mmCIF file of all heavy atoms in Angstrom:
data_model
loop_
_atom_site.group_PDB
_atom_site.id
_atom_site.type_symbol
_atom_site.label_atom_id
_atom_site.label_comp_id
_atom_site.label_asym_id
_atom_site.label_seq_id
_atom_site.Cartn_x
_atom_site.Cartn_y
_atom_site.Cartn_z
ATOM 1 N N GLY A 1 10.512 -3.113 3.064
ATOM 2 C CA GLY A 1 11.204 -2.002 3.631
ATOM 3 C C GLY A 1 10.514 -1.440 4.840
ATOM 4 O O GLY A 1 11.094 -1.135 5.866
ATOM 5 N N LEU A 2 9.175 -1.322 4.801
ATOM 6 C CA LEU A 2 8.353 -0.845 5.878
ATOM 7 C C LEU A 2 8.414 -1.809 7.095
ATOM 8 O O LEU A 2 8.580 -1.439 8.256
ATOM 9 C CB LEU A 2 6.875 -0.636 5.425
ATOM 10 C CG LEU A 2 5.952 0.033 6.462
ATOM 11 C CD1 LEU A 2 6.492 1.398 6.891
ATOM 12 C CD2 LEU A 2 4.581 0.125 5.897
ATOM 13 N N ALA A 3 8.322 -3.102 6.794
ATOM 14 C CA ALA A 3 8.418 -4.132 7.851
ATOM 15 C C ALA A 3 9.796 -4.051 8.522
ATOM 16 O O ALA A 3 9.915 -4.154 9.782
ATOM 17 C CB ALA A 3 8.142 -5.551 7.260
ATOM 18 N N PHE A 4 10.852 -3.898 7.716
ATOM 19 C CA PHE A 4 12.221 -3.829 8.295
ATOM 20 C C PHE A 4 12.394 -2.592 9.151
ATOM 21 O O PHE A 4 12.909 -2.630 10.271
ATOM 22 C CB PHE A 4 13.203 -3.786 7.120
ATOM 23 C CG PHE A 4 14.646 -3.685 7.615
ATOM 24 C CD1 PHE A 4 15.275 -4.821 8.218
ATOM 25 C CD2 PHE A 4 15.337 -2.537 7.545
ATOM 26 C CE1 PHE A 4 16.591 -4.732 8.656
ATOM 27 C CE2 PHE A 4 16.661 -2.408 7.986
ATOM 28 C CZ PHE A 4 17.273 -3.547 8.512
ATOM 29 N N LEU A 5 11.824 -1.448 8.706
ATOM 30 C CA LEU A 5 11.834 -0.193 9.523
ATOM 31 C C LEU A 5 11.113 -0.338 10.834
ATOM 32 O O LEU A 5 11.617 0.030 11.833
ATOM 33 C CB LEU A 5 11.247 0.907 8.662
ATOM 34 C CG LEU A 5 11.295 2.317 9.338
ATOM 35 C CD1 LEU A 5 12.688 2.807 9.519
ATOM 36 C CD2 LEU A 5 10.490 3.328 8.476
ATOM 37 N N ILE A 6 9.969 -0.973 10.783
ATOM 38 C CA ILE A 6 9.163 -1.235 12.064
ATOM 39 C C ILE A 6 9.978 -2.131 12.983
ATOM 40 O O ILE A 6 10.029 -1.893 14.147
ATOM 41 C CB ILE A 6 7.806 -1.768 11.639
ATOM 42 C CG1 ILE A 6 6.906 -0.752 11.010
ATOM 43 C CG2 ILE A 6 7.093 -2.355 12.976
ATOM 44 C CD1 ILE A 6 5.601 -1.213 10.478
ATOM 45 N N TYR A 7 10.557 -3.142 12.414
ATOM 46 C CA TYR A 7 11.391 -4.084 13.194
ATOM 47 C C TYR A 7 12.527 -3.341 13.856
ATOM 48 O O TYR A 7 12.810 -3.516 15.056
ATOM 49 C CB TYR A 7 11.975 -5.215 12.293
ATOM 50 C CG TYR A 7 13.025 -6.010 12.971
ATOM 51 C CD1 TYR A 7 12.687 -6.981 13.958
ATOM 52 C CD2 TYR A 7 14.384 -5.873 12.682
ATOM 53 C CE1 TYR A 7 13.660 -7.690 14.570
ATOM 54 C CE2 TYR A 7 15.396 -6.552 13.290
ATOM 55 C CZ TYR A 7 15.045 -7.476 14.238
ATOM 56 O OH TYR A 7 16.005 -8.203 14.869
ATOM 57 N N LYS A 8 13.254 -2.465 13.177
ATOM 58 C CA LYS A 8 14.383 -1.740 13.754
ATOM 59 C C LYS A 8 13.917 -0.806 14.840
ATOM 60 O O LYS A 8 14.555 -0.680 15.898
ATOM 61 C CB LYS A 8 15.096 -0.958 12.669
ATOM 62 C CG LYS A 8 16.040 -1.769 11.828
ATOM 63 C CD LYS A 8 17.111 -2.313 12.749
ATOM 64 C CE LYS A 8 18.331 -2.655 12.046
ATOM 65 N NZ LYS A 8 19.348 -3.229 12.914
ATOM 66 N N VAL A 9 12.797 -0.099 14.674
ATOM 67 C CA VAL A 9 12.276 0.845 15.687
ATOM 68 C C VAL A 9 11.951 0.063 16.900
ATOM 69 O O VAL A 9 12.279 0.446 18.035
ATOM 70 C CB VAL A 9 11.113 1.620 15.087
ATOM 71 C CG1 VAL A 9 10.404 2.386 16.253
ATOM 72 C CG2 VAL A 9 11.572 2.585 14.021
ATOM 73 N N VAL A 10 11.269 -1.024 16.782
ATOM 74 C CA VAL A 10 10.798 -1.837 17.941
ATOM 75 C C VAL A 10 12.016 -2.498 18.604
ATOM 76 O O VAL A 10 12.122 -2.452 19.811
ATOM 77 C CB VAL A 10 9.778 -2.876 17.506
ATOM 78 C CG1 VAL A 10 9.505 -3.873 18.643
ATOM 79 C CG2 VAL A 10 8.434 -2.196 17.103
ATOM 80 N N SER A 11 12.935 -2.984 17.892
ATOM 81 C CA SER A 11 14.110 -3.664 18.499
ATOM 82 C C SER A 11 14.958 -2.639 19.191
ATOM 83 O O SER A 11 15.668 -2.921 20.182
ATOM 84 C CB SER A 11 14.851 -4.460 17.495
ATOM 85 O OG SER A 11 15.449 -3.605 16.561
ATOM 86 N N ASN A 12 15.090 -1.419 18.696
ATOM 87 C CA ASN A 12 15.882 -0.373 19.343
ATOM 88 C C ASN A 12 15.248 0.138 20.624
ATOM 89 O O ASN A 12 15.885 0.635 21.506
ATOM 90 C CB ASN A 12 16.193 0.756 18.366
ATOM 91 C CG ASN A 12 17.246 0.402 17.404
ATOM 92 O OD1 ASN A 12 18.033 -0.511 17.596
ATOM 93 N ND2 ASN A 12 17.250 1.156 16.298
ATOM 94 N N ARG A 13 13.932 0.058 20.681
ATOM 95 C CA ARG A 13 13.268 0.574 21.858
ATOM 96 C C ARG A 13 13.231 -0.423 23.010
ATOM 97 O O ARG A 13 13.047 -0.053 24.139
ATOM 98 C CB ARG A 13 11.786 0.900 21.494
ATOM 99 C CG ARG A 13 11.776 2.133 20.512
ATOM 100 C CD ARG A 13 10.367 2.566 20.325
ATOM 101 N NE ARG A 13 10.017 3.355 21.496
ATOM 102 C CZ ARG A 13 8.842 3.833 21.751
ATOM 103 N NH1 ARG A 13 7.832 3.581 20.938
ATOM 104 N NH2 ARG A 13 8.587 4.568 22.815
ATOM 105 N N SER A 14 13.367 -1.669 22.714
ATOM 106 C CA SER A 14 13.309 -2.745 23.774
ATOM 107 C C SER A 14 14.293 -2.453 24.925
ATOM 108 O O SER A 14 13.869 -2.495 26.072
ATOM 109 C CB SER A 14 13.579 -4.142 23.190
ATOM 110 O OG SER A 14 12.650 -4.378 22.190
ATOM 111 N N PRO A 15 15.571 -2.166 24.656
ATOM 112 C CA PRO A 15 16.484 -1.916 25.752
ATOM 113 C C PRO A 15 16.057 -0.741 26.649
ATOM 114 O O PRO A 15 16.296 -0.752 27.818
ATOM 115 C CB PRO A 15 17.844 -1.684 25.071
ATOM 116 C CG PRO A 15 17.751 -2.314 23.802
ATOM 117 C CD PRO A 15 16.271 -2.162 23.389
ATOM 118 N N ARG A 16 15.465 0.255 26.019
ATOM 119 C CA ARG A 16 15.016 1.388 26.795
ATOM 120 C C ARG A 16 13.863 1.023 27.756
ATOM 121 O O ARG A 16 13.690 1.668 28.771
ATOM 122 C CB ARG A 16 14.588 2.517 25.857
ATOM 123 C CG ARG A 16 15.714 3.174 25.160
ATOM 124 C CD ARG A 16 15.169 4.364 24.393
ATOM 125 N NE ARG A 16 16.053 4.485 23.216
ATOM 126 C CZ ARG A 16 15.631 4.901 22.009
ATOM 127 N NH1 ARG A 16 14.389 5.244 21.869
ATOM 128 N NH2 ARG A 16 16.450 4.996 21.014
ATOM 129 N N LEU A 17 13.075 0.080 27.331
ATOM 130 C CA LEU A 17 11.945 -0.319 28.191
ATOM 131 C C LEU A 17 12.390 -1.083 29.419
ATOM 132 O O LEU A 17 11.771 -1.051 30.459
ATOM 133 C CB LEU A 17 10.916 -1.118 27.416
ATOM 134 C CG LEU A 17 10.260 -0.388 26.260
ATOM 135 C CD1 LEU A 17 9.337 -1.341 25.446
ATOM 136 C CD2 LEU A 17 9.473 0.806 26.784
ATOM 137 N N LYS A 18 13.565 -1.759 29.303
ATOM 138 C CA LYS A 18 14.032 -2.516 30.389
ATOM 139 C C LYS A 18 14.591 -1.538 31.436
ATOM 140 O O LYS A 18 15.333 -0.626 31.097
ATOM 141 C CB LYS A 18 15.148 -3.509 29.988
ATOM 142 C CG LYS A 18 14.691 -4.592 29.093
ATOM 143 C CD LYS A 18 15.832 -5.452 28.678
ATOM 144 C CE LYS A 18 15.385 -6.510 27.652
ATOM 145 N NZ LYS A 18 16.521 -7.296 27.172
ATOM 146 N N GLN A 19 14.266 -1.787 32.678
ATOM 147 C CA GLN A 19 14.819 -0.854 33.766
ATOM 148 C C GLN A 19 16.181 -1.374 34.145
ATOM 149 O O GLN A 19 16.363 -2.561 34.329
ATOM 150 C CB GLN A 19 13.840 -0.881 34.940
ATOM 151 C CG GLN A 19 12.593 -0.120 34.641
ATOM 152 C CD GLN A 19 11.767 0.009 35.920
ATOM 153 O OE1 GLN A 19 12.107 -0.549 36.942
ATOM 154 N NE2 GLN A 19 10.675 0.722 35.826
ATOM 155 N N LYS A 20 17.073 -0.460 34.305
ATOM 156 C CA LYS A 20 18.363 -0.745 34.781
ATOM 157 C C LYS A 20 18.290 -0.899 36.319
ATOM 158 O O LYS A 20 17.716 -0.095 36.997
ATOM 159 C CB LYS A 20 19.394 0.311 34.422
ATOM 160 C CG LYS A 20 19.633 0.417 32.965
ATOM 161 C CD LYS A 20 20.627 1.522 32.708
ATOM 162 C CE LYS A 20 20.853 1.723 31.177
ATOM 163 N NZ LYS A 20 21.868 2.745 30.906
ATOM 164 N N THR A 21 18.936 -1.917 36.763
ATOM 165 C CA THR A 21 18.952 -2.060 38.269
ATOM 166 C C THR A 21 20.300 -1.653 38.753
ATOM 167 O O THR A 21 21.353 -2.067 38.245
ATOM 168 C CB THR A 21 18.692 -3.574 38.653
ATOM 169 O OG1 THR A 21 19.637 -4.374 38.002
ATOM 170 C CG2 THR A 21 17.338 -4.022 38.238
ATOM 171 N N THR A 22 20.268 -0.757 39.735
ATOM 172 C CA THR A 22 21.508 -0.302 40.349
ATOM 173 C C THR A 22 21.409 -0.471 41.834
ATOM 174 O O THR A 22 20.346 -0.450 42.352
ATOM 175 C CB THR A 22 21.736 1.202 40.048
ATOM 176 O OG1 THR A 22 20.615 1.947 40.506
ATOM 177 C CG2 THR A 22 21.927 1.456 38.593
ATOM 178 N N LYS A 23 22.550 -0.695 42.447
ATOM 179 C CA LYS A 23 22.526 -0.854 43.845
ATOM 180 C C LYS A 23 22.749 0.530 44.449
ATOM 181 O O LYS A 23 23.704 1.238 44.124
ATOM 182 C CB LYS A 23 23.718 -1.754 44.305
ATOM 183 C CG LYS A 23 23.481 -3.225 43.824
ATOM 184 C CD LYS A 23 24.609 -4.032 44.396
ATOM 185 C CE LYS A 23 24.403 -5.482 44.000
ATOM 186 N NZ LYS A 23 25.436 -6.362 44.522
ATOM 187 N N ALA A 24 21.862 0.884 45.336
ATOM 188 C CA ALA A 24 21.939 2.215 46.024
ATOM 189 C C ALA A 24 22.854 2.030 47.242
ATOM 190 O O ALA A 24 22.752 1.063 47.958
ATOM 191 C CB ALA A 24 20.557 2.676 46.395
ATOM 192 N N THR A 25 23.670 3.076 47.401
ATOM 193 C CA THR A 25 24.557 3.101 48.561
ATOM 194 C C THR A 25 24.024 4.141 49.495
ATOM 195 O O THR A 25 23.771 5.308 49.124
ATOM 196 C CB THR A 25 26.024 3.414 48.166
ATOM 197 O OG1 THR A 25 26.448 2.497 47.177
ATOM 198 C CG2 THR A 25 26.933 3.385 49.388
ATOM 199 N N VAL A 26 23.778 3.755 50.717
ATOM 200 C CA VAL A 26 23.222 4.643 51.703
ATOM 201 C C VAL A 26 24.257 4.812 52.834
ATOM 202 O O VAL A 26 24.709 3.822 53.407
ATOM 203 C CB VAL A 26 21.906 4.121 52.296
ATOM 204 C CG1 VAL A 26 21.370 5.086 53.391
ATOM 205 C CG2 VAL A 26 20.911 3.972 51.195
ATOM 206 N N GLU A 27 24.607 6.033 53.094
ATOM 207 C CA GLU A 27 25.518 6.292 54.198
ATOM 208 C C GLU A 27 24.685 6.671 55.446
ATOM 209 O O GLU A 27 23.879 7.597 55.386
ATOM 210 C CB GLU A 27 26.469 7.456 53.912
ATOM 211 C CG GLU A 27 27.701 7.033 53.169
ATOM 212 C CD GLU A 27 28.672 8.180 52.981
ATOM 213 O OE1 GLU A 27 28.944 8.925 53.983
ATOM 214 O OE2 GLU A 27 29.147 8.366 51.916
ATOM 215 N N VAL A 28 24.926 5.981 56.503
ATOM 216 C CA VAL A 28 24.214 6.324 57.743
ATOM 217 C C VAL A 28 25.297 6.681 58.747
ATOM 218 O O VAL A 28 26.235 5.933 59.034
ATOM 219 C CB VAL A 28 23.431 5.135 58.257
ATOM 220 C CG1 VAL A 28 22.747 5.375 59.578
ATOM 221 C CG2 VAL A 28 22.433 4.665 57.268
ATOM 222 N N GLU A 29 25.172 7.881 59.249
ATOM 223 C CA GLU A 29 26.144 8.358 60.242
ATOM 224 C C GLU A 29 25.490 8.248 61.599
ATOM 225 O O GLU A 29 24.373 8.650 61.777
ATOM 226 C CB GLU A 29 26.533 9.813 59.957
ATOM 227 C CG GLU A 29 27.670 10.292 60.862
ATOM 228 C CD GLU A 29 28.218 11.609 60.458
ATOM 229 O OE1 GLU A 29 28.518 11.749 59.202
ATOM 230 O OE2 GLU A 29 28.277 12.528 61.237
ATOM 231 N N GLU A 30 26.253 7.740 62.520
ATOM 232 C CA GLU A 30 25.784 7.592 63.867
ATOM 233 C C GLU A 30 25.536 8.961 64.486
ATOM 234 O O GLU A 30 26.152 9.935 64.087
ATOM 235 C CB GLU A 30 26.694 6.798 64.708
ATOM 236 C CG GLU A 30 28.093 7.530 64.881
ATOM 237 C CD GLU A 30 29.073 6.691 65.579
ATOM 238 O OE1 GLU A 30 29.597 5.723 65.015
ATOM 239 O OE2 GLU A 30 29.395 7.017 66.711
ATOM 240 N N VAL A 31 24.605 8.979 65.387
ATOM 241 C CA VAL A 31 24.347 10.254 66.140
ATOM 242 C C VAL A 31 25.482 10.489 67.114
ATOM 243 O O VAL A 31 25.804 9.545 67.904
ATOM 244 C CB VAL A 31 22.971 10.194 66.849
ATOM 245 C CG1 VAL A 31 22.746 11.477 67.639
ATOM 246 C CG2 VAL A 31 21.841 9.992 65.891
ATOM 247 N N ARG A 32 26.085 11.612 67.006
ATOM 248 C CA ARG A 32 27.225 11.957 67.860
ATOM 249 C C ARG A 32 26.876 13.117 68.717
ATOM 250 O O ARG A 32 26.182 14.034 68.322
ATOM 251 C CB ARG A 32 28.432 12.241 67.007
ATOM 252 C CG ARG A 32 28.749 11.060 66.137
ATOM 253 C CD ARG A 32 29.971 11.204 65.262
ATOM 254 N NE ARG A 32 31.150 11.226 66.104
ATOM 255 C CZ ARG A 32 32.221 11.936 65.824
ATOM 256 N NH1 ARG A 32 32.341 12.591 64.725
ATOM 257 N NH2 ARG A 32 33.245 11.886 66.671
ATOM 258 N N SER A 33 27.482 13.117 69.902
ATOM 259 C CA SER A 33 27.209 14.275 70.794
ATOM 260 C C SER A 33 28.074 15.430 70.455
ATOM 261 O O SER A 33 29.078 15.330 69.741
ATOM 262 C CB SER A 33 27.564 13.767 72.270
ATOM 263 O OG SER A 33 28.930 13.614 72.377
ATOM 264 N N ALA A 34 27.713 16.563 70.964
ATOM 265 C CA ALA A 34 28.520 17.799 70.774
ATOM 266 C C ALA A 34 29.896 17.673 71.353
ATOM 267 O O ALA A 34 30.895 18.088 70.703
ATOM 268 C CB ALA A 34 27.841 18.989 71.481
ATOM 269 N N THR A 35 30.034 16.917 72.430
ATOM 270 C CA THR A 35 31.401 16.672 73.015
ATOM 271 C C THR A 35 32.257 15.865 72.058
ATOM 272 O O THR A 35 33.477 16.149 71.876
ATOM 273 C CB THR A 35 31.253 15.972 74.351
ATOM 274 O OG1 THR A 35 30.383 16.764 75.190
ATOM 275 C CG2 THR A 35 32.534 15.786 75.062
ATOM 276 N N GLU A 36 31.679 14.892 71.411
ATOM 277 C CA GLU A 36 32.425 14.072 70.478
ATOM 278 C C GLU A 36 32.895 14.918 69.286
ATOM 279 O O GLU A 36 34.029 14.771 68.804
ATOM 280 C CB GLU A 36 31.627 12.858 70.020
ATOM 281 C CG GLU A 36 31.365 11.829 71.125
ATOM 282 C CD GLU A 36 30.391 10.735 70.715
ATOM 283 O OE1 GLU A 36 29.326 11.122 70.180
ATOM 284 O OE2 GLU A 36 30.658 9.555 71.030
ATOM 285 N N TRP A 37 31.980 15.784 68.797
ATOM 286 C CA TRP A 37 32.360 16.628 67.699
ATOM 287 C C TRP A 37 33.489 17.586 68.078
ATOM 288 O O TRP A 37 34.419 17.843 67.298
ATOM 289 C CB TRP A 37 31.196 17.416 67.164
ATOM 290 C CG TRP A 37 30.237 16.598 66.330
ATOM 291 C CD1 TRP A 37 28.925 16.314 66.646
ATOM 292 C CD2 TRP A 37 30.493 16.010 65.049
ATOM 293 N NE1 TRP A 37 28.379 15.511 65.597
ATOM 294 C CE2 TRP A 37 29.281 15.277 64.675
ATOM 295 C CE3 TRP A 37 31.593 15.936 64.238
ATOM 296 C CZ2 TRP A 37 29.221 14.640 63.465
ATOM 297 C CZ3 TRP A 37 31.478 15.220 63.027
ATOM 298 C CH2 TRP A 37 30.336 14.587 62.699
ATOM 299 N N ALA A 38 33.400 18.120 69.310
ATOM 300 C CA ALA A 38 34.391 19.054 69.811
ATOM 301 C C ALA A 38 35.752 18.359 69.917
ATOM 302 O O ALA A 38 36.840 18.906 69.575
ATOM 303 C CB ALA A 38 33.984 19.619 71.138
#
C-alpha cells in the first residue's frame, strides 16, 4: 500500500514538472507620425 501510494504521488507530479511550451504572440506597431494619427 505504501509503495502504491508513493507511485501515485510521483506519477501525478510528473506532468507538473514538465514545462508547457506556448507560442508567444508579439504585436509590433510601426512608429507613426502625428500627421498619420490625425
Side-chain angles (χ1 to χ4, degrees):
L2 186 59
F4 181 74
L5 182 64
I6 290 172
Y7 168 76
K8 279 300 203 181
V9 169
V10 170
S11 67
N12 284 340
R13 293 188 79 188
S14 301
R16 289 186 212 146
L17 296 176
K18 294 179 184 176
Q19 290 186 354
K20 293 181 181 179
T21 56
T22 58
K23 292 184 179 182
T25 305
V26 178
E27 274 187 45
V28 177
E29 187 170 308
E30 63 186 72
V31 176
R32 302 182 68 209
S33 71
T35 305
E36 291 170 316
W37 285 115

